Amino acid sequence: MVQRASDRWISIALSLLLHGALLAALVYGWMMFREQRRAAATPPIAATVVDARTLRGLEQPAPQPAAAPAPAEDMGPPQPTPEERARREQAEQAQRQAQEQKAAEERAAAEKAAADKAAAEKAAEKAAAEKAAAAKAAAEKAAARAAADRARQEEEDRREREADLKRSLAAEEHADVARNGAALASWESMIAAKITHAWLRPPTAKAGIDCMLNVTQIPGGEVTQVSIGACNGDQAVRDSIEAAVYRASPLPAPPDPALFDRNLKIRFKPD
């Protein structure tokens, strides 16, 4: 749709008229506001009531109109009343008291915390000292007990050694007695008889063979070593006797265990 030129001019005229009315309203409002302020600022007219008797005395001068009061100056915000000042002071005082009380409570709490900490540290030091003393006493007691145990063990070992020595001496004496007795001779005879029974007589052996045998045995009678001492036989005889000793192993046990000896001297006389 094409807008005509007359319609455009009508729109412009209406817009101008509307803006002019708005401007006129603003100007009118501002002028009314100014008149009201001016009327409020104009001081009131002072009036004096005169008695009729006063009017008769024309010789008295007419009373002068009171001077117009000076316009009130801007004094800033209104001052608080005494009640308000008292309430403010009470509020400030209460706030200061609350702050002082809070500070006092904080100081008391800090002092109590410091005292508790010092007491805890002191208690910890005391406990540590008591623990160290107890540990030292326990160590000393253990050392004393160990020393007593060592002394008792040493005494027991000494007594045991003395007892062993006495038993050994007694056994040695008993063995010496037994060796010098018939039991030793009987045992040696049994050994010689077993060797003779195991001996294979060589052709070179003559009558009257007499040889000393050095025999080493272990408990149980097993022979570990043989050597021929003085002997009237030749080498073949000597070798046959040595072989016979090994064949006779294990040797007979002694009738008395105290007679046992690792190194034996046996006289071999087969005839």
Side-chain angles (χ1 to χ4, degrees), residues 1 17 33 50 58 64 66 70 97 111 118 121 125 130 138 149 171 180 197 209 211 260 267:
M1 179 178 176
L17 181 60
F33 176 73
V50 181
L58 296 176
Q64 297 292 330
Q97 290 177 355
E111 292 176 356
E121 291 177 353
E125 291 176 358
E130 292 177 353
D149 292 341
N180 295 327
H197 182 73
I209 297 294
C211 299
F260 180 81
R267 187 172 184 180

Side-chain angles (χ1 to χ4, degrees), residues 233-246:
D234 58 10
Q235 187 62 39
V237 172
R238 298 165 71 93
D239 293 341
S240 64
I241 295 173
E242 182 176 349
V245 175
Y246 281 112

Side-chain angles (χ1 to χ4, degrees), residues 81-135:
T81 62
E83 292 79 0
E84 292 178 350
R85 285 197 297 269
R87 286 195 297 271
R88 291 180 181 178
E89 290 177 357
Q90 290 178 358
E92 292 175 356
Q93 185 177 3
Q95 185 178 4
R96 286 194 301 271
Q97 290 177 355
Q99 292 177 352
E100 291 175 357
Q101 183 178 0
K102 183 178 180 181
E105 292 176 355
E106 291 178 352
R107 286 195 300 271
E111 292 176 356
K112 185 177 183 303
D116 293 342
K117 182 178 180 181
E121 291 177 353
K122 187 175 181 181
E125 291 176 358
K126 183 179 179 181
E130 292 177 353
K131 185 177 180 180

Side-chain angles (χ1 to χ4, degrees), residues 117-235:
K117 182 178 180 181
E121 291 177 353
K122 187 175 181 181
E125 291 176 358
K126 183 179 179 181
E130 292 177 353
K131 185 177 180 180
K136 182 179 179 182
E140 291 176 353
K141 186 176 180 180
R145 188 185 301 111
D149 292 341
R150 286 195 299 272
R152 183 171 58 255
Q153 186 63 38
E154 290 175 357
E155 180 65 18
E156 292 177 357
D157 293 343
R158 184 184 65 79
R159 292 178 180 178
E160 185 67 22
R161 287 194 298 271
E162 290 179 354
D164 290 342
L165 180 60
K166 289 180 181 180
R167 286 193 294 270
S168 298
L169 292 175
E172 187 68 24
E173 291 175 358
H174 182 73
D176 291 340
V177 173
R179 289 189 184 95
N180 295 327
L184 177 61
S186 175
W187 182 39
E188 292 177 348
S189 297
M190 288 189 298
I191 294 174
K194 190 173 183 180
I195 295 173
T196 301
H197 182 73
W199 181 48
L200 299 178
R201 190 183 189 97
T204 59
K206 299 178 181 179
I209 297 294
D210 188 1
C211 299
M212 291 299 301
L213 310 180
N214 299 315
V215 181
T216 302
Q217 65 173 345
I218 61 175
E222 183 178 354
V223 177
T224 59
Q225 186 176 357
V226 179
S227 64
I228 307 300
C231 184
N232 58 359
D234 58 10
Q235 187 62 39

Side-chain angles (χ1 to χ4, degrees), residues 46-58 60-64:
T48 303
V49 179
V50 181
D51 193 4
R53 292 188 296 269
T54 305
L55 293 176
R56 296 191 187 100
L58 296 176
Q60 295 181 0
Q64 297 292 330

